[in-house]
Amino acid sequence: MKKKHLILILPILPILMSCIPCTSAAPVSVMLPAVYSSEEIGVLTNLTVWVEDGTGHVFVDTEPFAQVDMQGSARLSSMVACDITGTDPESHDFFYVIRADSPVIGGPSAGAAMTVATVAALENWTVDPGVIMTGMINPDGSIGAVGGIPAKLNVSIRHGAHTFLIPPGQGNLTEIVQVIEQDDPLVTIRDELVTTDVIELGSAQGVEVREIYDIRDAIYTYTGNDIPVIVLTGEVQTREYLDAMQPLALTLLDETRAQYNETGVIVGQGLKNALDSQIQVIEDSQNDYDMGNYYASMSRSFSTMIKLRRIGWYSQYLDSPDKDGYLSNLTVCVEDEIADAEIAVSKARLENGVLEGVGAAESRLTIAKERLDWASHAESADDTIYLLAFAMERARSAKWWATLSRIGGGADIPEDLLKDRAGRYYSQSTSILAYAEMLIGESGKSRSWISDATGDLSRARRELRTGYYAGAIYDSLHAMVMAGTAIELVGVGSTDIDEKVNKSGRDAMSAILAARDGGAEPILATSAYEHAEVLATSDTDRIVDYGYAKMVARTARFFACQDNRTLEPRTGGMSEVPGEGAVEAASPGGYWVLTMVAAVYLFRRRCA
């Protein structure tokens, strides 16, 4: 019978996440079933895991040599284990030692068992040696499908297993096998579909084969210890947040209407239809505003401003007698806007601006510079003008975020801590992305998210070189979410996607509320949550938005915890500290920052 978990639906409570120290524990060993790389022959390998106080490194030692994806599987396993136990992964080093008698396949199918062993090492729990598991670990804790299950079951039975855990939906396997028939002197080889009832196959030999949906079920089966799912519920967009965002959204909406009217005066007849098409987008922004979806309204206004600038500038370009000179002057205008944004971002860093605001400003400034560089290599005038328009609006939005961060005044976070975290997040994202690339390549799924994550990491690398450490943190986090979502969706059917969306939403809400309860105001996370609710165009995009909201909220909580270490240490499992009711007040630099920035937020209307 599947172990049922207690899901605690609570008002806002302090929960111990990244602020909690975790003591080192004794090594934990489990058996990993595998198959030969070229033959369907099952083998068992021994995995030993231990955790020590450290700085977030993941070490993998295999003998004989395993495929490089084992490193990605180990890193992902450590992330998930820390996630569900509330452990800060950056305060420990993780060691994975794998020993086998023969060469075996790579790491994906070992991920779930590696995660169980990591949790047991963190919690100092013992594991049942008679339990053996195969299954990929997904970033959300679900178990992904693997191959070679019958061969893995058979070798596990020979080595005394009493329980064999497999991914959901793989209890009945239909595989293509080659059937060889010899009728001298002829030999006929044909492919034949063969269905194997794995559960019955195990039962006939005295072994319970069980499908496992979530890593917590596997942990309970191995250790007898239950890790409850703690979900905080409450208002993600509080009244204070909405009241603060409202004037800013209105400012942007009014500016968009003004830009539309100004563009209408100069636009040529050939671009009149393109201009008129923006009327509906402006109305959509107005509708979002009227419904209280202020961040969604602002996002639409931003996109509309880019299009209006492109239309207006291209119309002026067509009418200009010196087209090269016009483009040159336009480029200078954008360069000046970027230079102003650089000054604003520098001031934000010097004045200890709120980290999320500084990070968002640095990321947007980096994008503006990137688009400006692309514009210099564009093949057509229209492409050049579009890239310049995008760079202009990104630079202006960078100035807004810089202003936002400076008004509130953030925590005094040492630059070496930011640099260290940025480097670690970048390294973590790079490893997860490489792992995702391998899995996507094998599955034949779309690589669009891999490309997007690669772009995020390219920008983060540039930010690390230029000292934009906050921007590197948030771009690395976004890359990690994109790559992690790609991993989660390998093998996921359409019937499972709804539950993943719902779970992602619950996790994001809980993380945002926990961040507030820990003394942070995760503005970016709340905005990403609203984007998922209102603007995401597909279920998979909503999963990405929710995932980013969760990661950003947890990062905000971590940095808030640097000045707040009064929580009690864990004693094992998921610890709780009784709360005193819902926490509505924001930390310094929270909601009132947005209220004030709406009053001082003035865009220079140059080059319109």
Side-chain angles (χ1 to χ4, degrees):
M1 180 178 296
K2 180 183 175 183
K3 170 69 180 175
K4 300 296 183 181
H5 296 301
L6 175 64
I7 300 180
L8 305 178
I9 308 297
L10 304 172
I12 298 197
L13 291 175
I15 64 174
L16 304 180
M17 295 299 293
S18 59
C19 299
I20 302 166
C22 177
T23 58
S24 300
V28 173
S29 293
V30 297
M31 300 303 294
L32 304 177
V35 295
Y36 280 117
S37 299
S38 58
E39 302 176 51
E40 283 295 312
I41 299 176
V43 295
L44 283 184
T45 65
N46 180 270
L47 166 69
T48 301
V49 179
W50 70 91
V51 182
E52 296 180 357
D53 292 337
T55 55
H57 293 292
V58 177
F59 300 94
V60 178
D61 177 29
T62 63
E63 185 181 320
F65 179 75
Q67 293 180 14
V68 294
D69 56 34
M70 186 65 75
Q71 174 70 36
S73 187
R75 188 171 292 273
L76 183 56
S77 297
S78 68
M79 287 177 57
V80 175
C82 289
D83 187 17
I84 65 176
T85 59
T87 302
D88 177 15
E90 303 297 333
S91 63
H92 296 82
D93 290 334
F94 301 84
F95 299 83
Y96 297 86
V97 177
I98 299 170
R99 294 291 180 262
D101 295 331
S102 55
V104 293
I105 61 172
S109 66
M114 294 174 80
T115 305
V116 170
T118 308
V119 169
L122 285 168
E123 300 294 343
N124 201 21
W125 292 339
T126 59
V127 297
D128 184 343
V131 178
I132 296 179
M133 180 178 192
T134 184
M136 188 174 73
I137 186 64
N138 291 323
D140 66 348
S142 61
I143 309 301
V146 296
I149 289 180
K152 294 174 182 178
L153 170 61
N154 289 332
V155 72
S156 299
I157 292 172
R158 290 198 301 271
H159 285 77
H162 60 71
T163 303
F164 188 69
L165 307 181
I166 62 175
Q170 294 199 279
N172 269 293
L173 295 176
T174 300
E175 301 173 303
I176 298 177
V177 299
Q178 286 189 338
V179 177
I180 301 176
E181 295 180 348
Q182 184 167 354
D183 185 9
D184 291 334
L186 300 177
V187 176
T188 302
I189 302 176
R190 71 176 190 277
D191 290 337
E192 186 175 297
L193 289 177
V194 176
T195 299
T196 302
D197 186 333
V198 180
I199 295 176
E200 179 58 34
L201 179 63
S203 178
Q205 300 178 75
V207 172
E208 179 185 8
V209 178
R210 189 188 311 163
E211 295 185 4
I212 295 293
Y213 292 79
D214 184 87
I215 193 64
R216 289 176 174 84
D217 291 318
I219 292 168
Y220 181 83
T221 303
Y222 268 94
T223 71
N225 293 289
D226 194 19
I227 300 179
V229 181
I230 298 180
V231 180
L232 305 185
T233 61
E235 293 292 336
V236 173
Q237 296 173 309
T238 61
R239 187 68 261 165
E240 292 88 347
Y241 178 85
L242 294 173
D243 288 345
M245 293 289 282
Q246 180 269 334
L248 182 56
L250 181 60
T251 299
L252 293 174
L253 187 57
D254 288 344
E255 186 181 49
T256 303
R257 292 189 185 278
Q259 184 69 42
Y260 175 84
N261 292 333
E262 292 180 15
T263 304
V265 174
I266 62 175
V267 73
Q269 188 61 38
L271 296 173
K272 189 68 167 55
N273 290 337
L275 177 63
D276 290 343
S277 68
Q278 297 308 302
I279 295 176
Q280 183 58 55
V281 184
I282 295 174
E283 290 306 311
D284 290 340
S285 299
Q286 182 68 58
N287 291 335
D288 281 330
Y289 177 86
D290 293 340
M291 295 177 65
N293 298 320
Y294 300 127
Y295 179 77
S297 177
M298 292 162 56
S299 295
R300 293 189 198 274
S301 294
F302 167 78
S303 298
T304 303
M305 284 294 293
I306 294 174
K307 294 173 183 177
L308 291 175
R309 285 193 183 278
R310 181 183 189 182
I311 293 168
W313 288 353
Y314 191 68
S315 182
Q316 291 177 320
Y317 167 82
L318 293 176
D319 293 338
S320 175
D322 181 7
K323 291 181 170 52
D324 289 340
Y326 177 82
L327 290 180
S328 178
N329 291 334
L330 203 59
T331 300
V332 171
C333 286
V334 176
E335 290 173 342
D336 288 345
E337 193 70 33
I338 290 175
D340 287 348
E342 283 187 291
I343 294 173
V345 172
S346 295
K347 288 182 178 179
R349 287 198 300 270
L350 289 173
E351 297 174 14
N352 294 327
V354 177
L355 185 64
E356 288 188 50
V358 174
E362 290 178 345
S363 177
R364 283 153 177 76
L365 179 56
T366 302
I367 293 173
K369 293 179 180 180
E370 181 182 70
R371 295 302 191 274
L372 177 64
D373 181 62
W374 291 0
S376 66
H377 300 90
E379 296 183 356
S380 69
D382 182 45
D383 288 342
T384 299
I385 289 172
Y386 167 71
L387 291 168
L388 290 174
F390 199 105
M392 171 70 82
E393 290 308 313
R394 269 303 179 214
R396 282 154 45 94
S397 65
K399 290 165 63 177
W400 172 75
W401 278 104
T403 303
L404 165 65
S405 68
R406 292 204 312 274
I407 291 176
D412 185 7
I413 302 174
E415 184 178 29
D416 57 352
L417 174 61
L418 281 180
K419 181 178 180 180
D420 178 76
R421 284 285 158 160
R424 292 185 184 283
Y425 289 167
Y426 175 80
S427 176
Q428 187 90 322
S429 298
T430 300
S431 178
I432 297 301
L433 178 58
Y435 188 43
E437 285 184 305
M438 183 276 299
L439 293 176
I440 294 298
E442 291 181 354
S443 68
K445 295 277 188 176
S446 170
R447 296 182 55 85
S448 60
W449 284 355
I450 300 299
S451 298
D452 291 342
T454 301
D456 287 335
L457 279 183
S458 175
R459 188 160 56 252
R461 184 168 58 251
R462 180 174 180 176
E463 288 158 348
L464 283 170
R465 290 198 304 266
T466 57
Y468 288 0
Y469 300 127
I473 286 173
Y474 293 107
D475 282 329
S476 294
L477 288 176
H478 196 263
M480 194 183 304
V481 170
M482 295 287 286
T485 303
I487 292 172
E488 286 182 21
L489 297 182
V490 171
V492 172
S494 58
T495 57
D496 301 320
I497 198 71
D498 288 343
E499 176 52 32
K500 281 200 173 286
V501 171
N502 293 334
K503 183 180 185 301
S504 298
R506 293 193 301 268
D507 290 346
M509 173 186 290
S510 187
I512 289 170
L513 300 182
R516 288 198 184 119
D517 202 37
E521 176 45 47
I523 298 172
L524 276 181
T526 305
S527 300
Y529 187 94
E530 181 182 337
H531 195 281
E533 295 279 294
V534 180
L535 294 180
T537 57
S538 68
D539 287 337
T540 52
D541 286 342
R542 290 177 68 192
I543 292 173
V544 170
D545 286 340
Y546 285 137
Y548 186 59
K550 180 180 73 172
M551 294 288 278
V552 169
R554 289 181 173 177
T555 302
R557 182 175 172 84
F558 165 78
F559 284 108
C561 284
Q562 299 311 296
D563 297 318
N564 177 21
R565 296 188 174 274
T566 60
L567 295 177
E568 300 174 7
R570 292 181 321 116
T571 57
M574 179 71 77
S575 303
E576 301 173 41
V577 177
E580 297 179 355
V583 177
E584 293 291 342
S587 61
Y591 297 125
W592 71 276
V593 176
L594 288 171
T595 304
M596 294 185 65
V597 77
V600 301
Y601 171 63
L602 296 173
F603 281 126
R604 294 185 182 181
R605 300 184 54 76
R606 297 185 302 171
C607 306

